[in-house]
Amino acid sequence: MYEFGRENEKGILLLHGAGCTYRMWTPQIKELRKTYHVYAPTISGHEKGDVDFLSSAEEAKKILTWFEENGHKKIVAICGVSLGAHVAAELLQRKNDFAEYAMIESIKAYRYKGLALKIFSHIGKLILKKCANTKGYMAGMYKKEYASRDSKNTIHIMSERSLDNIMIESGQYRIKDMPRAICAKTIILYGEKEKRECLLNTKILSKQIFNCKVVEIKGFRHGELAIGNPKRHLEYFNELVSKEPK
């Protein structure tokens, strides 16, 4: 767990996407650390010598255990994108009052099974590895060199098991059906160009939250808000917590 702005009382948890590390959040950390105690873990399997990634459910368990062992029962906010959105959803389901606010982006729901899932996983791994050996989609699509460097370095050191588990989860991840119980005031966002893949999980999760707003961002692709437009991402976040006492 990486921490920034430790002098601040209010905590915010940032959960990155697959194939990168907490450094994906570099611009947001720079700003948020001025006001918040920022907690930015690197998800398992994404750093050299790290244990393999198993599932988002396991990551949520590890994160909750870390906070409990360090005497933190609650935080102000969670922000998760892509794989990090999976983990954020698992956290909110496991502990419905863990955060006062939640910002979840690009929580896709492919529904592959059997051979189709194997093909999806194989192609997904090839695409990730290609990104690590070329200019990279972070720099190409999102025009963020810092994120591209981080992604290249990360994918090169990831184990086959971690890559397999991530792609298998990505190909079949579905939010668990549960009663409405999540207390965090939440905004769920997805890009217009990924709408079809995000609608199912967005619908399932939003029904479990007492106060939830869903936003489709015109012209955006997967994870493009958090990665490609950090300033706008912060604007959405600040609007979400605007009634939080200073």
Side-chain angles (χ1 to χ4, degrees):
M1 181 74 73
Y2 298 91
E3 299 178 63
F4 308 88
R6 291 186 182 213
E7 68 278 8
N8 299 312
E9 182 179 352
K10 298 173 184 176
I12 178 172
L13 176 64
L14 302 180
L15 299 165
H16 64 81
C20 51
T21 70
Y22 76 93
R23 294 178 183 86
M24 187 209 86
W25 295 107
T26 295
Q28 287 93 329
I29 290 172
K30 183 179 179 181
E31 292 301 316
L32 291 169
R33 68 185 300 172
K34 298 173 183 177
T35 308
Y36 296 94
H37 183 165
V38 180
Y39 300 96
T42 291
I43 291 172
S44 297
H46 287 72
E47 289 187 318
K48 192 172 183 179
D50 199 1
V51 297
D52 290 326
F53 173 86
L54 299 179
S55 69
S56 291
E58 285 299 314
E59 289 303 303
K61 286 168 59 177
K62 289 180 183 179
I63 290 170
L64 283 176
T65 297
W66 186 91
F67 275 98
E68 289 167 0
E69 289 178 348
N70 285 273
H72 307 297
K73 294 183 179 180
K74 294 183 180 181
I75 57 175
V76 169
I78 300 174
C79 292
V81 59
S82 190
L83 182 64
H86 294 188
V87 180
E90 295 283 344
L91 281 165
L92 293 171
Q93 287 186 321
R94 286 176 179 275
K95 191 172 182 182
N96 66 343
D97 63 347
F98 180 58
E100 296 176 44
Y101 301 92
M103 185 172 176
I104 296 174
E105 180 187 353
S106 297
I107 189 161
K108 285 190 175 183
Y110 293 110
R111 303 182 72 179
Y112 296 114
K113 296 179 181 180
L115 180 59
L117 180 59
K118 290 181 180 179
I119 294 172
F120 172 86
S121 175
H122 177 69
I123 293 174
K125 285 200 302 178
L126 291 178
I127 292 172
L128 282 175
K129 290 179 179 180
K130 183 179 179 180
C131 290
N133 290 288
T134 62
K135 183 177 180 180
Y137 66 94
M138 299 291 194
M141 292 177 68
Y142 303 148
K143 297 179 174 60
K144 300 298 176 185
E145 288 289 348
Y146 69 89
S148 187
R149 288 193 300 271
D150 179 45
S151 181
K152 288 180 184 180
N153 293 335
T154 302
I155 294 168
H156 273 305
I157 59 91
M158 292 179 71
S159 70
E160 287 296 316
R161 188 185 184 202
S162 289
L163 288 169
D164 281 336
N165 288 339
I166 287 170
M167 294 314 304
I168 289 171
E169 177 171 304
S170 298
Q172 62 180 2
Y173 185 73
R174 177 168 174 169
I175 297 291
K176 294 187 293 290
D177 288 305
M178 296 179 69
R180 179 172 293 180
I182 296 172
C183 300
K185 180 183 177 183
T186 303
I187 181 170
I188 304 176
L189 310 103
Y190 56 81
E192 178 186 18
K193 296 180 179 180
E194 60 172 354
K195 177 178 180 178
R196 181 179 176 183
E197 294 83 10
C198 292
L199 282 178
L200 178 60
N201 274 335
T202 296
K203 182 178 180 180
I204 295 171
L205 183 59
S206 64
K207 288 183 177 180
Q208 300 175 27
I209 303 169
F210 288 112
N211 187 349
C212 183
K213 179 180 179 182
V214 175
V215 175
E216 177 184 325
I217 308 175
K218 298 298 181 183
F220 273 37
R221 296 159 291 202
H222 184 71
E224 190 170 353
L225 180 65
I227 302 168
N229 293 268
K231 183 177 179 181
R232 190 171 173 187
H233 182 272
L234 285 167
E235 289 173 355
Y236 273 108
F237 174 77
N238 288 328
E239 181 182 350
L240 176 68
V241 302
S242 61
K243 295 183 180 181
E244 169 71 6
K246 302 295 182 183

